[in-house]
Amino acid sequence: GAVVSQHPSRVICKSGTSVKIECRSLDFQATTMFWYRQFPKKSLMLMATSNEGSKATYEQGVEKDKFLINHASLTLSTLTVTSAHPEDSSFYICSASTIAGSTDTQYFGPGTRLTVL
Amino acid sequence: GNSVTQMEGPVTLSEEAFLTINCTYTATGYPSLFWYVQYPGEGLQLLLKATKADDKGSNKGFEATYRKETTSFHLEKGSVQVSDSAVYFCALKGLGNEKLTFGTGTRLTIIP
């Protein structure tokens, strides 16, 4: 089946630094990628939706200047957490879809655990 | 807005036991309903889905029936196996092409 990878799986950084998380679709072309975050014992919350070659659409309350999303190719999207702070510590999950904008055919990555000291 | 409430875990069962994980939802109109499973170290995978009232989704021995009258989509399996140990997420998608709304997830552990 379709496989989505994330790198790194775990990252620890100092407050004020930036962290980049990669999401790759390994065996299919992803026209749409989604970024979620999950706090302990909470639901997955959609942060943004990105279509290849265009700007990401952010959910209400998500700071676009803090969470930079780039979807430059059909197999790679990146999420950069800029000037990270401890409250940004979370589990970040990406998913990829083969049909533009469709949420029925999402394939999920294994997630990235970010800890900001 | 849309929301999903699912049974808090963790849930621990013996092999061959009967499983129920409750899920209820709040949504306008008639959403599509999903169960996703996340095995250790892997991404979420779609387990089953139902798109209209009274539909029953099924896969790998798991079943869930879309109950509009009780706004529920409970996950069931008659005889669980150790390999079913995972985190299970209930989710819904509203009309059109809206985003997925997830429950908090239920961690299931099956002991031999």
Side-chain angles (χ1 to χ4, degrees):
Chain A
V3 178
V4 175
S5 70
Q6 281 185 241
H7 178 78
S9 58
R10 186 183 297 266
V11 57
I12 300 172
C13 69
K14 293 182 178 180
S15 187
T17 61
S18 294
V19 175
K20 180 184 285 188
I21 302 170
E22 293 186 348
C23 176
R24 293 182 185 274
S25 55
L26 298 185
D27 51 4
F28 67 99
Q29 293 186 326
T31 50
T32 304
M33 287 187 169
F34 305 85
W35 285 95
Y36 298 82
R37 67 186 296 184
Q38 184 181 29
F39 293 103
K41 299 185 179 180
K42 299 291 186 183
S43 302
L44 276 74
M45 301 299 294
L46 180 65
M47 298 175 65
T49 302
S50 71
N51 291 300
E52 184 266 336
S54 60
K55 289 184 178 180
T57 301
Y58 290 80
E59 294 298 302
Q60 191 173 7
V62 178
E63 300 175 60
K64 61 180 67 175
D65 293 332
K66 181 168 187 60
F67 298 99
L68 301 179
I69 292 171
N70 183 282
H71 190 172
S73 79
L74 286 171
T75 59
L76 173 65
S77 176
T78 60
L79 167 68
T80 301
V81 183
T82 62
S83 187
H85 288 93
E87 58 266 29
D88 298 323
S89 297
S90 189
F91 195 55
Y92 292 87
I93 301 171
C94 74
S95 70
S97 172
T98 57
I99 302 173
S102 168
T103 54
D104 274 5
T105 54
Q106 287 186 51
Y107 301 98
F108 286 81
T112 297
R113 172 81 57 195
L114 170 63
T115 302
V116 184
L117 302 177
Chain B
N2 297 340
S3 68
V4 175
T5 302
Q6 70 179 96
M7 180 175 178
E8 274 198 38
V11 174
T12 303
L13 295 172
S14 297
E15 204 166 20
E16 299 183 4
F18 184 85
L19 168 72
T20 300
I21 301 178
N22 290 338
C23 172
T24 57
Y25 67 89
T26 302
T28 54
Y30 303 97
S32 295
L33 302 174
F34 306 82
W35 276 100
Y36 283 85
V37 58
Q38 185 175 30
Y39 298 105
E42 299 182 17
L44 274 74
Q45 302 172 24
L46 179 63
L47 180 60
L48 52 85
K49 70 177 184 180
T51 57
K52 61 183 188 296
D54 299 325
D55 264 2
K56 177 185 285 187
S58 61
N59 186 24
K60 299 182 180 180
F62 291 89
E63 293 183 341
T65 301
Y66 189 143
R67 300 289 189 198
K68 179 174 176 294
E69 62 276 12
T70 54
T71 61
S72 65
F73 193 54
H74 304 322
L75 182 68
E76 297 182 334
K77 186 173 185 180
S79 177
V80 292
Q81 305 300 313
V82 172
S83 57
D84 294 326
S85 298
V87 181
Y88 293 82
F89 293 88
C90 186
L92 71 82
K93 183 173 78 75
L95 295 176
N97 199 22
E98 297 174 27
K99 63 184 181 181
L100 285 168
T101 300
F102 286 90
T104 54
T106 302
R107 182 174 299 278
L108 173 67
T109 302
I110 307 301
I111 54 178

